[in-house]
């Protein structure tokens, strides 16, 4: 993680310099070249910076700040607010169910990181949808000492031949994708002591996330 952060810093500095120089040059060159800078060169630098940022998320230490929070509180006051904004932007529908057994469970999480997982899954679903309207079915249940969350879309599905590779860093079937979204998501869940799985068919894709539930003894500790 430390090495990755150092490399990222050293790469970002020249990228920032080059990007600023290209922006300045746009004002003093012909229209065709300026358009090339605007539509190709600067966006490619921004894309490289995005890859660096995403890679840092994977290599970051597992010891992030976490808090104990009730599932119902986390979902309704934090997660759904963000997902509702995303669904509004993409004209999608999100149906969510929290079972009675799951709603009162306590989990210890970094809220921002877990929210990022579901943003990544949502945006992945947006890219997988074709002509129909995107629908997400989100459900939380308690299975013994685990919180089981399913995230199902109605997209075109993932080909069986590549299903086992979707969590690999830099693996993507999209021409403009970095291939890091799902890898970052799985890393976050792994770092929380959980696990993440995927199943897919022509009817859509289902991601299952398992997070450990805190027992009453642990909840009472500081």
């Amino acid at each position: 993680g430390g090495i990755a952060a150092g490399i990222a810093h050293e790469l970002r500095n020249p990228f920032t310099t080059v990007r600023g120089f290209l922006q300045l040059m746009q004002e003093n060159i012909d229209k065709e070249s300026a358009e090339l800078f605007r539509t190709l060169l600067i966006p490619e630098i921004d894309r490289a910076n995005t890859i660096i940022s995403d890679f840092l998320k994977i290599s970051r230490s597992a010891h992030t700040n976490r808090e104990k929070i009730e599932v119902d509180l986390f979902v309704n006051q934090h997660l759904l607010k963000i997902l509702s904004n995303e669904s509004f932007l993409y004209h999608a529908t999100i149906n969510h169910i929290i079972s009675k057994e799951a709603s009162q469970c306590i989990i210890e999480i970094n809220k921002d990181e877990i929210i990022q997982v579901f943003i990544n899954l949502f945006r992945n679903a947006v890219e997988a949808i074709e002509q129909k309207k995107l629908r997400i079915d989100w459900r939380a249940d308690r299975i013994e000492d685990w919180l089981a969350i399913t995230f199902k879309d109605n997209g075109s599905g993932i080909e069986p031949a590549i299903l086992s590779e979707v969590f690999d860093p830099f693996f993507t079937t999209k021409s403009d994708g970095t291939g890091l979204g799902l890898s970052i998501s799985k890393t976050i869940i792994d770092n929380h002591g959980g696990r993440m799985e995927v199943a897919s068919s022509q009817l859509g894709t289902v991601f299952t996330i398992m997070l450990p539930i805190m027992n009453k003894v642990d909840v009472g500790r500081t």
Side-chain angles (χ1 to χ4, degrees):
I3 293 171
I7 292 172
H9 178 73
E10 292 303 320
L11 287 173
R12 277 176 171 157
N13 284 339
F15 278 146
T16 301
T17 301
V18 172
R19 192 186 194 284
F21 184 66
L22 290 175
Q23 285 180 305
L24 286 174
M25 283 185 64
Q26 282 181 293
E27 302 173 6
N28 303 303
I29 57 177
D30 61 273
K31 225 179 231 186
E32 187 177 339
S33 297
E35 182 67 8
L36 179 67
F37 284 13
R38 187 184 68 82
T39 60
L40 179 63
L41 300 184
I42 292 175
E44 281 299 293
I45 290 175
D46 290 340
R47 182 169 175 268
N49 272 317
T50 298
I51 292 172
I52 291 170
S53 297
D54 287 347
F55 181 72
L56 274 175
K57 291 175 185 176
I58 290 180
S59 57
R60 185 184 298 160
S61 169
H63 303 292
T64 55
N65 294 326
R66 298 175 190 172
E67 63 182 278
K68 302 177 181 73
I69 189 168
E70 195 174 272
V71 171
D72 187 66
L73 179 67
F74 168 66
V75 173
N76 288 301
Q77 293 195 15
H78 300 282
L79 179 61
L80 286 181
K81 287 183 179 180
I82 302 298
L83 289 183
S84 293
N85 291 336
E86 293 286 320
S87 63
F88 178 77
L89 286 173
Y90 294 99
H91 309 289
T93 300
I94 297 180
N95 303 312
H96 79 282
I97 297 174
I98 307 175
S99 72
K100 184 178 179 181
E101 295 76 16
S103 64
Q104 305 301 314
C105 291
I106 304 294
I107 50 178
E108 187 173 21
I109 58 171
N110 180 298
K111 293 198 302 290
D112 293 336
E113 289 187 351
I114 298 299
I115 287 171
Q116 185 62 52
V117 168
F118 289 104
I119 290 175
N120 289 346
L121 293 183
F122 181 87
R123 291 178 179 171
N124 199 67
V126 168
E127 293 169 351
I129 204 71
E130 293 177 345
Q131 301 299 321
K132 51 191 175 180
K133 183 179 178 181
L134 175 61
R135 187 188 74 250
I136 300 295
D137 293 313
W138 190 100
R139 183 181 178 93
D141 292 289
R142 177 169 185 164
I143 301 177
E144 297 180 347
D145 293 329
W146 295 90
L147 176 69
I149 303 171
T150 55
F151 185 99
K152 182 181 184 301
D153 66 49
N154 62 330
S156 55
I158 302 170
E159 292 291 331
I162 64 173
L163 194 61
S164 63
E165 301 176 73
V166 297
F167 294 123
D168 293 348
F170 301 107
F171 176 81
T172 181
T173 59
K174 300 181 284 287
S175 59
D176 58 346
T178 63
L180 288 172
L182 291 179
S183 182
I184 289 168
S185 298
K186 190 174 187 305
T187 298
I188 289 172
I189 298 302
D190 288 346
N191 287 345
H192 278 75
R195 61 182 186 270
M196 185 173 180
E197 299 170 350
V198 59
S200 192
S201 71
Q202 293 180 344
L203 300 177
T205 300
V206 182
F207 288 93
T208 302
I209 292 171
M210 306 290 284
L211 289 171
I213 294 170
M214 299 196 70
N215 61 49
K216 291 182 180 179
V217 174
D218 291 331
V219 170
R221 292 175 180 165
T222 55

